Amino acid sequence: ASRMLRCLLVASACGANALRVPTFRSSAPDTRRSGSASMGPQLHGSQQSRSPLVNWYAYEADIALAMAPPRPSNHPFGQVPFLVDDGGVEIFESGAILMYLADKYGGLDTPEERAKVGKWVVWSNSELDGLCFGAIPGDHRVRGTSMDKPDLKQVATLEAILGQNEWLVGGAFSVADVAVGAYLNYVPIFFPSADLSATPNIARYMARCAERPAFAAAFGDQHAGLVRSKVEGWLSSEGGSAGPADGLKKSLASEDVDAGPAAAASVLPVPTQR
């Protein structure tokens, strides 16, 4: 009888474990353990690349992300950002890096949760990149922005979505907003004369992103302040002056990080790589 009781207890415990539902983590778990050989995620990148986008999410999710020099790394195309993590994990493309970090450290416990944010991360790399910068595959140079064209279907659709939602997924800030907000908030820097006053919902969304302390920590106070200033000008229907954007734009363009052939004077390199 005692043996049968032990068997029933074991079976009951196994059943409880099998039925356990994963819970959402609102912040990253502390993966650093005393005496462990674990190094945690490390990012090869630079401030002039799209690395700050990854840093922004790491700050938001409280991920202990170590920075490494841009090169050397095992990136197959020799670009940045490039993430390495324990267990031989190696990832390139900023969107793929964001999804990995959100999956492992940020609480994306189910395919359904991944799908909710993943579609926005992929859209930012595949569609929003071209809308913001005019870049084309294989040549990530700034040619012109389309974000100041409210009649474009993509711009009008995003404007409508942000008119109904403070954040893109579930009413709460997520990795989807990091991917989309980071791209949008480069527009005032590279295009000081761009006027987004006709899309006030997008403009307010940009300001909400720039107001987050983690955004300023990743991109810098000057970047965050410029975005807020430009949005204030757009919303007051005064447009924005070219002023402080010029200096910051030159700083971002000063390091040719995998921008391909040398850019012409009127064609600036976009912060690379995706």
Side-chain angles (χ1 to χ4, degrees):
S2 61
R3 181 178 180 181
M4 182 179 295
L5 179 59
R6 287 197 300 271
C7 290
L8 289 172
L9 290 173
V10 170
S12 176
C14 291
N17 287 336
L19 294 173
R20 186 176 55 194
V21 179
T23 56
F24 180 80
R25 295 190 301 269
S26 61
S27 61
D30 186 356
T31 58
R32 295 166 293 183
R33 294 181 176 86
S34 177
S36 172
S38 172
M39 296 296 292
Q42 299 181 57
L43 184 69
H44 293 269
S46 72
Q47 195 66 21
Q48 290 75 26
S49 72
R50 300 186 190 187
S51 303
L53 184 155
V54 179
N55 295 121
W56 181 15
Y57 180 67
Y59 286 131
E60 294 280 4
D62 195 24
I63 299 170
L65 180 67
M67 293 303 296
R71 298 175 183 83
S73 79
N74 287 336
H75 194 302
F77 304 108
Q79 297 170 326
V80 291
F82 180 70
L83 185 86
V84 297
D85 203 356
D86 299 320
V89 172
E90 296 182 341
I91 312 171
F92 60 95
E93 294 290 314
S94 62
I97 293 171
L98 286 179
M99 288 304 299
Y100 170 79
L101 292 175
D103 196 4
K104 184 168 183 178
Y105 301 101
L108 296 184
D109 297 305
T110 67
E112 291 78 12
E113 291 296 328
R114 296 183 194 103
K116 289 177 184 177
V117 298
K119 58 191 176 186
W120 284 107
V121 174
V122 172
W123 181 77
S124 69
N125 277 179
S126 63
E127 186 77 13
L128 188 57
D129 184 5
L131 289 171
C132 288
F133 306 120
I136 59 176
D139 188 351
H140 298 282
R141 289 180 293 175
V142 173
R143 286 175 170 78
T145 187
S146 295
M147 290 308 303
D148 56 0
K149 297 177 174 62
D151 293 335
L152 280 181
K153 178 181 178 181
Q154 298 92 332
V155 176
T157 300
L158 184 61
E159 171 70 5
I161 290 172
L162 291 174
Q164 299 175 357
N165 304 277
E166 183 179 16
W167 303 110
L168 292 171
V169 177
F173 183 88
S174 72
V175 68
D177 298 296
V178 170
V180 173
Y183 277 75
L184 291 174
N185 280 357
Y186 273 122
V187 171
I189 294 170
F190 282 87
F191 305 101
S193 61
D195 184 357
L196 275 65
S197 60
T199 52
N201 296 323
I202 292 176
R204 293 188 185 96
Y205 174 76
M206 292 167 64
R208 287 195 295 274
C209 290
E211 288 165 358
R212 297 183 71 87
F215 181 91
F219 288 92
D221 291 333
Q222 186 181 5
H223 188 147
L226 175 63
V227 173
R228 295 195 303 269
S229 175
K230 295 294 287 190
V231 169
E232 183 179 354
W234 295 333
L235 296 179
S236 66
S237 300
E238 297 176 357
S241 61
D246 292 337
L248 185 54
K249 179 174 65 175
K250 291 177 182 177
S251 173
L252 287 169
S254 64
E255 182 178 325
D256 182 17
V257 185
D258 306 308
S266 61
V267 186
L268 296 170
V270 178
T272 54
Q273 177 51 275
R274 294 191 306 183

